[in-house]
């Protein structure tokens, strides 16, 4: 059989023709690399066509899985040509795990044959199969999920018996456009996932100009979305009684829903509501649910079979737990829906516990408070008071788990000294044990409970003589640290992250009016934050021990590109005499720029005499490195005094942030005012 392959225009492949009798032709050869270009790319496309054609010719039931999966594993630009005579590619679920993969077509169709192979396992060891025609996720748990993936121009059919999704998106920066998905998928498009006690973020996803129909559960289901655009689509035929055209959901109270636009769609004939905004998880109102817009849509003949709690054109349930979440519903056309145009349901989930009653105090004369205090913290939230001891004495304790909502730990200036690690109560997603490695370790104590919210720690002096320990570790949400004095030689005075908390970020954190000093790595390290306020603090004397640490007063640095740095305010602090930079915004991780890094502000700070040693890797008063992937992130930099620092006042490194600078006093620094950045 002679096969002639003609690469499609615009596919990134060479325009020369290759056939099965060309010199050097080998249909079994796979092309590896980020992008297949030139004759190698053409050969890869030809190999796909050969395998698909052979599959069709040699068996009664075609199965194109192997050929399609091999092409997706190679990454780059993948063009699926329309098959002749109305034939469709038939495939099991396909893993799409490579960054910068683009799948396009001139209208080719694919039919689902069932789930594909399992390449990863959940934290409990359960294999995860590819249960969507395109399953966008990492194939290796130690590699981040894919970014910058586009799929366009395809028709996808999922028979009901296959129990599959059309497209599942667990990566960031994904664009789906000009698609037709039908049959009876569980959902035409699934974005993110979540359950009670566990729900992370999926960022910057677009679904546009597509015709999606027949979802058994919903047409589009979206969990934990930040920066979602659903625009210009026709969404119809959701089948179950509650199946919505669009369901935006927070499954856990820590799962964020931010910056969501459902605009200019036709949402018609779904058994459930046209749009369901479900912000009512069973374990409490969401910490973050705001910036949601539903406008300019045609919402027609929905909710015909829906039960009363979901009987409406648009149904909104619950909302942000402080009552400040923003939802705009405007300019929609409602016709023929059962129930009201907009049905607003009150939250049914429990409110967080409030602090009340007389505070608990340690027994008189007790100095090693570890056992007593851990037992008290484990009983529940409420107020705990540690009275100041006479003659400058300090309490002592091993690391303490702070895991209950509404916990306040207060004092009149008492001192508490770390005696090392506390118990192991969690494991990370890759199995590493997590012990309480801070005097106060604010995190959930088991995988089945949510991260704690509403914790306050104030008016204490915390001494950490062990450089492997932290002063305070924050993995919960809506946590306030106020009027603390942290010293000794902690690894960080304060570390903020989402490790092991079920949400992969910490939200609504404030560090106020405190004195932080003596850390060996950074005074404040923040790896995954949404809503961080650092204000009115004195941050000093970070040591750089062993040499080569960032040694910054404040280090905002995602561990991987999927961790957010969103809505961060560093204002009115004195940051001085640190071995490394006063402030380090290191927004490019080892696997690339942060997916979300914007709404950043550094204002009114005094940043002096930092980068006092030459051993930290970056030296300046302020370091701005990387930024939000694609260059959309914004930083306000104003009214800071940045003087007498080692290196330049402000150092830019591979900077892609948009910096709005004004009123800064930058002078007398070792290497001048700025380097690698221009401040207007």
């Amino acid at each position: 059989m002679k096969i002639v392959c003609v690469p499609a225009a615009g596919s990134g492949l060479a325009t020369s023709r290759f056939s099965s009798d060309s010199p050097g032709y080998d249909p079994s050869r796979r092309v590896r690399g980020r992008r297949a270009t030139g004759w190698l790319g053409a050969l890869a496309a030809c190999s796909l066509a050969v395998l698909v054609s052979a599959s069709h010719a040699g068996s009664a039931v075609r199965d194109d899985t192997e050929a399609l999966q091999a092409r997706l594993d190679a990454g780059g630009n993948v063009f699926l040509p329309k098959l002749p005579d109305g034939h469709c590619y038939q495939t099991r679920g396909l893993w799409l795990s490579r960054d910068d993969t683009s799948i396009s077509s001139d209208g080719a169709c694919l039919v689902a044959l069932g789930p594909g192979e399992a390449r990863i396992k959940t934290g409990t060891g359960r294999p995860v199969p590819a249960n969507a025609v395109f399953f966008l996720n990492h194939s290796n748990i130690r590699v981040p999920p894919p970014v910058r993936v586009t799929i366009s121009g395809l028709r996808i059919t999922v028979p009901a018996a296959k129990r599959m999704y059309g497209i599942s998106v667990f990566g960031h920066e994904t664009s789906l456009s000009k698609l037709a998905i039908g049959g009876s998928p569980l959902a035409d498009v699934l974005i993110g996932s979540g359950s009670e006690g566990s729900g992370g973020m999926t960022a910057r996803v677009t679904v546009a100009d597509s015709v999606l129909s027949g979802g058994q559960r919903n047409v589009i289901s979206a969990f934990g979305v930040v920066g979602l655009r659903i625009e210009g689509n026709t969404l119809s035929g959701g089948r179950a009684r509650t199946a919505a055209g669009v369901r935006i959901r927070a499954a856990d109270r820590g799962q964020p829903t931010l910056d969501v636009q459902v605009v200019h769609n036709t949402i018609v004939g779904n058994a459930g509501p046209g749009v369901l905004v479900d912000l009512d998880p069973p374990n409490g109102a969401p910490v973050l649910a705001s910036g949601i817009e539903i406008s300019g849509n045609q919402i027609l003949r929905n909710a015909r079979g829906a039960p009363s709690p979901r009987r409406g054109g648009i149904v909104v349930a619950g909302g942000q737990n402080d009552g400040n979440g923003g939802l705009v519903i405007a300019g929609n056309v409602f016709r023929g829906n059962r129930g009201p145009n907009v049905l607003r349901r009150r939250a049914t989930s429990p409110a967080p516990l409030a602090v009340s009653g007389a505070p608990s105090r340690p027994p008189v004369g007790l100095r090693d408070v570890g056992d007593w205090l851990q037992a008290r913290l484990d009983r529940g939230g409420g107020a705990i008071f540690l009275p100041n001891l006479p003659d400058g004495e300090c309490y002592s304790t091993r690391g303490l788990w702070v895991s209950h909502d509404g916990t306040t730990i207060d004092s009149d200036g008492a001192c508490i000294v770390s005696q090392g690690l506390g118990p192991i109560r969690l494991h990370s997603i890759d199995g590493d044990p997590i012990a309480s490695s801070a005097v106060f370790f604010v995190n959930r104590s088991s995988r089945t409970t949510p991260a704690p919210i509403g914790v306050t720690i104030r008016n204490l002096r915390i001494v950490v003589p062990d450089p492997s320990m932290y002063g305070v570790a924050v993995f919960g949400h809506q946590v306030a640290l106020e009027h603390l004095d942290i010293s000794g030689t902690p690894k960080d005075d304060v570390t903020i992250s989402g490790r092991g908390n079920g949400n992969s970020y910490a939200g609504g954190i404030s560090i106020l009016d405190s004195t932080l000093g003596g850390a060996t790595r950074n005074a404040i390290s923040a790896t995954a934050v949404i809503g961080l306020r650092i204000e009115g603090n004195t941050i000093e004397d970070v040591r750089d021990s062993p040499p080569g640490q960032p040694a910054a007063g404040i280090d905002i640095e995602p561990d991987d590109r999927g961790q957010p740095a969103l809505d961060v305010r560093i204002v009115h602090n004195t940051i001085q005499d640190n071995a490394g930079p006063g402030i380090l915004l290191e927004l490019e991780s080892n696997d690339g720029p942060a997916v979300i890094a914007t709404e950043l502000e550094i204002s009114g700070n005094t940043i002096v005499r930092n980068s006092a040693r030459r051993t930290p890797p970056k030296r300046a008063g302020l370091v701005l490195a990387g930024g939000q992937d694609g260059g959309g992130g914004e930083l306000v930099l104003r009214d800071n005094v940045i003087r007498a620092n080692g290196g330049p006042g402000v150092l830019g490194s591979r900077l892609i942030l948009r910096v709005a600078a004004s009123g800064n006093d930058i002078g007398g620094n070792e290497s001048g005012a700025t380097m690698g950045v221009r401040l207007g």
Side-chain angles (χ1 to χ4, degrees):
M1 176 179 63
K2 181 175 182 179
I3 308 289
V4 177
C5 300
V6 183
S11 66
L13 306 180
T15 57
S16 58
R17 293 173 180 259
F18 278 80
S19 68
S20 56
D21 55 359
S22 297
Y25 175 76
D26 179 0
S28 66
R29 180 175 180 181
R30 287 180 54 188
V31 178
R32 300 183 180 272
R34 290 177 63 87
R35 294 186 181 274
T37 56
W39 72 269
L40 288 173
L43 184 55
C46 188
S47 299
L48 173 62
V50 170
L51 289 168
V52 166
S53 297
S55 171
H56 176 57
S59 62
V61 178
R62 12 173 348 124
D63 186 343
D64 304 309
T65 306
E66 184 177 354
L68 293 168
Q69 187 63 71
R71 190 62 188 93
L72 296 180
D73 286 343
N77 295 328
V78 178
F79 182 83
L80 297 182
K82 192 173 182 179
L83 296 178
D85 303 322
H87 290 298
C88 294
Y89 300 93
Q90 297 193 43
T91 182
R92 294 191 172 276
L94 298 164
W95 288 84
L96 208 169
S97 302
R98 295 290 297 270
D99 293 353
D100 300 299
T101 299
S102 173
I103 303 170
S104 60
S105 181
D106 54 357
C109 63
L110 295 95
V111 176
L113 295 177
E117 64 180 309
R119 292 187 170 183
I120 59 175
K121 295 181 179 180
T122 67
T124 59
R126 179 176 58 84
V128 178
N131 67 339
V133 173
F134 292 107
F135 191 76
L136 280 72
N137 204 345
H138 48 192
S139 292
N140 181 331
I141 198 69
R142 298 187 182 278
V143 175
V147 296
R148 299 179 300 274
V149 171
T150 64
I151 304 175
S152 63
L154 287 163
R155 291 188 297 119
I156 298 171
T157 300
V158 182
K162 304 306 178 185
R163 305 291 295 170
M164 291 177 64
Y165 297 93
I167 298 175
S168 291
V169 179
F170 302 105
H172 308 292
E173 297 181 81
T174 300
S175 177
L176 311 178
S177 65
K178 297 182 173 59
L179 300 172
I181 303 178
S184 295
L186 298 177
D188 295 77
V189 176
L190 171 66
I191 303 166
S193 65
S195 60
E196 184 177 357
S198 181
M201 174 192 81
T202 304
R204 299 173 61 187
V205 176
T206 298
V207 184
D209 304 320
S210 296
V211 177
L212 311 178
S213 64
Q216 295 183 47
R217 298 173 182 170
N218 302 288
V219 179
I220 297 177
S221 287
F223 293 77
V225 284
V226 176
L228 172 65
R229 304 289 180 266
I230 299 174
E231 184 171 3
N233 306 283
T234 298
L235 310 174
S236 65
R239 297 177 184 275
R241 292 180 66 211
T242 59
V246 179
R247 185 184 187 187
I248 309 296
R249 186 183 179 200
D252 175 74
R253 67 187 187 184
Q255 189 164 48
T257 304
L258 296 170
D259 186 21
V260 174
Q261 294 183 5
V262 181
V263 296
H264 306 304
N265 303 281
T266 298
I267 307 174
V268 56
N270 297 286
V275 181
L276 172 58
V277 183
D278 188 356
L279 305 176
D280 188 22
N283 56 14
V287 171
L288 295 169
S290 193
I292 303 167
E293 177 186 354
I294 305 170
S295 64
N297 301 284
Q298 301 277 329
I299 300 178
L300 314 172
R301 303 188 300 281
N302 298 287
R304 306 304 295 174
S308 58
R310 297 191 180 182
R311 192 177 298 154
I314 296 173
V315 176
V316 180
Q320 187 167 292
N321 67 0
D322 62 2
N324 293 325
L327 168 63
V328 174
I329 299 175
N332 301 287
V333 174
F334 298 91
R335 291 198 186 96
N337 302 288
R338 191 178 180 202
N341 292 339
V342 179
L343 172 62
R344 182 63 189 259
R345 282 175 33 207
R346 292 184 179 180
T348 59
S349 53
L353 296 174
V355 175
S356 61
S360 302
R361 294 171 177 253
V364 174
L366 185 65
R367 297 298 183 262
D368 185 347
V369 295
D371 291 343
W372 173 84
L373 189 47
Q374 187 64 76
R376 170 59 189 87
L377 290 167
D378 288 344
R379 282 202 305 271
I384 300 168
F385 190 85
L386 298 177
N388 198 0
L389 295 175
D391 302 322
E393 287 187 87
C394 294
Y395 298 102
S396 64
T397 183
R398 291 194 172 273
L400 296 162
W401 288 84
V402 184
S403 302
H404 285 280
D405 297 350
T407 299
T408 292
I409 303 169
D410 201 354
S411 179
D412 54 358
C415 166
I416 187 166
V417 177
S418 168
Q419 296 296 320
L421 293 173
I424 294 169
R425 293 187 174 180
L426 290 175
H427 288 78
S428 67
I429 193 170
D430 52 4
D432 292 337
I434 299 175
S436 48
S437 55
V439 173
F440 296 107
F441 194 82
V442 184
N443 203 346
R444 61 183 183 172
S445 285
S446 76
R447 291 177 59 88
T448 59
T449 57
I453 64 174
V455 173
T456 299
I457 304 173
R458 62 190 177 208
N459 300 322
L460 278 164
R461 188 159 57 92
I462 299 172
V463 180
V464 185
D466 181 350
S468 68
M469 293 283 292
Y470 303 96
V472 181
V474 179
F475 303 88
H477 305 297
Q478 295 173 336
V479 176
L481 309 181
E482 303 172 358
H483 300 284
L484 299 178
D485 184 326
I486 304 178
S487 62
T489 57
K491 187 171 185 177
D492 301 330
D493 294 280
V494 178
T495 191
I496 306 165
S497 178
R499 183 171 182 252
N501 75 351
N503 306 129
S504 299
Y505 80 100
I509 312 303
S510 59
I511 305 172
L512 308 175
D513 304 316
S514 296
T515 299
L516 310 178
T520 60
R521 184 175 68 171
N522 302 299
I524 299 174
S525 290
T527 61
V529 290
I530 301 177
L532 172 62
R533 178 184 171 206
I534 303 172
E535 183 170 358
N537 305 284
T538 298
I539 299 170
E540 59 191 0
D541 297 328
V542 176
R543 300 168 186 267
D544 187 29
S545 178
Q549 306 299 312
I554 301 171
D555 183 1
I556 310 297
E557 183 171 356
D559 281 338
D560 68 65
R561 64 191 180 195
Q563 294 181 328
L566 175 63
D567 185 21
V568 175
R569 298 182 66 238
I570 303 171
V571 296
H572 304 304
N573 302 281
T574 297
I575 306 170
Q576 61 190 15
D577 301 313
N578 297 292
I583 301 174
L584 172 59
L585 288 188
E586 184 63 74
L587 301 176
E588 183 169 15
S589 69
N590 290 335
D591 46 52
V595 171
I596 295 287
T598 191
E599 298 179 32
L600 311 172
E601 179 183 356
I602 301 173
S603 297
N605 301 284
T606 299
I607 304 171
V608 295
R609 301 187 305 277
N610 298 286
S611 293
R613 298 184 63 180
R614 296 191 174 276
T615 47
K618 292 179 180 175
R619 301 180 67 245
L622 167 63
V623 175
L624 307 177
Q628 182 169 289
D629 194 25
E634 297 183 350
L635 166 68
V636 172
L637 180 67
R638 66 186 176 203
D639 301 331
N640 300 284
V641 175
I642 307 175
R643 303 185 68 86
N645 298 284
V650 181
L651 172 65
S653 175
R654 306 177 307 281
L655 185 63
I656 55 176
L657 277 175
R658 298 201 298 261
V659 181
S662 64
N664 298 290
D665 178 1
I666 308 175
N669 298 287
E670 179 185 54
S671 301
T674 64
M675 182 181 298
V677 60
R678 296 181 62 182
L679 303 178

